[in-house]
Amino acid sequence: MSVLSFAAINKQLSLSRRLFLGGSLAAAALPATASAEEAPPASALKARQLPARSLPVPGTVSEGLQAVIAAPYPPGWNALPEDSATWKDLAAKSAAGAAPAIAAIREHFGLTVDQTTMGGVPVFVITPQDIAPENRNRLLVHIHGGGYVLFPGEAGAGEGMLMAGYARCKVVSIDYRMAPDYPYPAALNDVMAVWGVLLAAYDPSKMGIFGTSAGGALTLCAIHRAKAEGIALPGAIAPGSPLADLTWSGDSIMANAYVDNALVSRRSWANAASTLYAGQNDPRDPLLSPIFGDFSGFPPAILTSGTRDLLLSDTVRTHQKLRKAGVTAALQVLEGQSHGQYLSPFLPETDEAFGEIAKFFSDHLAS
């Protein structure tokens, strides 16, 4: 595919790229409602009052990413569905909106995508045309994002396709059950079921697990649960911008409110979706909010976020806890990016982000 055709694809997919990110929804049918930002419980110290300001698009990123950063907030970002039918309609819109980007990624990398089941769970097996020699016996396991409610079916496999293309490694992307029909622990149960099947076929030291947002959180939760149950751990993990704290208490939740143009603020659909997923369970349970768990014995990890990411604090805090537990952990924070925007296909920054993750897996997985 030529450079010119890449440019044409990027122009045509200006909307679908945002839909693909997991924080940007085709929610135009839902009326956006303005409301004041409410801070989570804080200390008695006085909050800092900030003057109104205009936030420029940084000139320190590629032109393509500048267009992503300059985009307005997603339509209906804070219009919260009131019933299951509306949540399901939102999920259907997310899948339809992601479809053009999914097709373009598959074509660009020349991927074969096969749908099957493992342990009764739907999965997509993604195989690049040319698997790197060192990856012939390796496998990467992908857990998609979308707040535990969005991107059903192949729409959730886009990040897995990107990784298969960049890493030149086979990927299994898990199409786990989601809220509202299947709240916690359905998604985690599905991840563990697939992991159990794969352990029968692969050496765990030759497998890695990765995902972004809810997928990043599920990556961490799967390790907590595998540790507790004495199940073999993967050789490395790559949780991207993990939704690691369902109390939504990190500093960047407020500091990057309305700076992040994907999730926007804690008053968004994503907060409501995480509450829907958790149900009546304690949000501080490490299998819901992995930040509250014990990170000792975790496999090597690389974490990815952006300077404008609403969940930057979740990512940084997770990295700190891993390091304090003696775990090998890398952190890449990408210039100007809001939540999950390193998933935007065909940008130089995407090449760089996935290149770092692919190298980390290559360095830490057994061959």
Side-chain angles (χ1 to χ4, degrees), residues 167-250:
R168 296 167 59 204
C169 185
K170 182 180 285 188
V171 171
V172 169
S173 182
I174 304 173
D175 184 18
Y176 55 84
R177 291 170 295 167
M178 295 190 291
D181 287 344
Y182 300 102
Y184 172 81
L188 185 55
N189 285 345
D190 286 356
V191 170
M192 300 308 296
V194 173
W195 182 246
V197 171
L198 293 174
L199 283 175
Y202 288 85
D203 180 340
S205 68
K206 299 179 181 180
M207 289 193 287
I209 303 178
F210 70 100
T212 291
S213 193
L218 282 168
T219 297
L220 297 167
C221 292
I223 304 303
H224 281 318
R225 182 157 154 184
K227 281 178 52 186
E229 297 180 1
I231 298 171
L233 304 181
I237 58 174
S241 188
L243 181 54
D245 181 359
L246 293 195
T247 70
W248 291 72
S249 299

Side-chain angles (χ1 to χ4, degrees), residues 39 42-53 251 254-255:
S43 70
L45 297 176
K46 185 176 180 180
R48 178 173 297 165
Q49 301 301 310
L50 301 179
R53 56 178 177 150
D251 176 63
M254 298 305 297

Side-chain angles (χ1 to χ4, degrees), residues 52-188:
R53 56 178 177 150
S54 177
L55 186 64
V57 174
T60 49
V61 299
S62 71
E63 289 186 4
L65 184 58
Q66 287 179 33
V68 174
I69 294 171
Y73 299 145
W77 66 268
N78 62 345
L80 308 183
E82 297 180 354
D83 54 36
S84 293
T86 312
W87 277 114
K88 291 176 184 178
D89 182 61
L90 202 59
K93 285 185 169 73
S94 74
I102 297 292
I105 294 167
R106 187 195 298 110
E107 179 185 354
H108 170 46
F109 288 110
L111 303 170
T112 299
V113 181
D114 297 311
Q115 186 173 13
T116 185
T117 60
M118 294 183 180
V121 179
V123 300
F124 293 89
V125 180
I126 307 164
T127 307
Q129 288 180 340
D130 180 24
I131 295 178
E134 65 273 18
N135 290 335
R136 286 173 183 162
N137 297 316
R138 291 171 170 168
L139 180 72
L140 299 179
V141 181
H142 171 240
I143 309 172
H144 72 82
Y148 303 104
V149 295
L150 302 183
F151 302 109
E154 192 179 34
E159 181 182 13
M161 294 181 192
L162 287 171
M163 183 63 74
Y166 283 112
R168 296 167 59 204
C169 185
K170 182 180 285 188
V171 171
V172 169
S173 182
I174 304 173
D175 184 18
Y176 55 84
R177 291 170 295 167
M178 295 190 291
D181 287 344
Y182 300 102
Y184 172 81
L188 185 55

Side-chain angles (χ1 to χ4, degrees), residues 213-303:
S213 193
L218 282 168
T219 297
L220 297 167
C221 292
I223 304 303
H224 281 318
R225 182 157 154 184
K227 281 178 52 186
E229 297 180 1
I231 298 171
L233 304 181
I237 58 174
S241 188
L243 181 54
D245 181 359
L246 293 195
T247 70
W248 291 72
S249 299
D251 176 63
S252 64
I253 299 296
M254 298 305 297
N256 278 346
Y258 302 95
V259 172
D260 183 317
N261 71 339
L263 293 183
V264 186
S265 94
R266 70 191 299 270
R267 299 189 68 86
S268 75
W269 67 272
N271 192 338
S274 67
T275 300
L276 185 72
Y277 170 68
Q280 298 301 311
N281 297 284
D282 182 358
R284 294 176 63 91
D285 183 334
L287 296 185
L288 279 166
S289 295
I291 194 69
F292 299 113
D294 174 13
F295 285 81
S296 61
F298 262 55
I302 180 169
L303 298 101

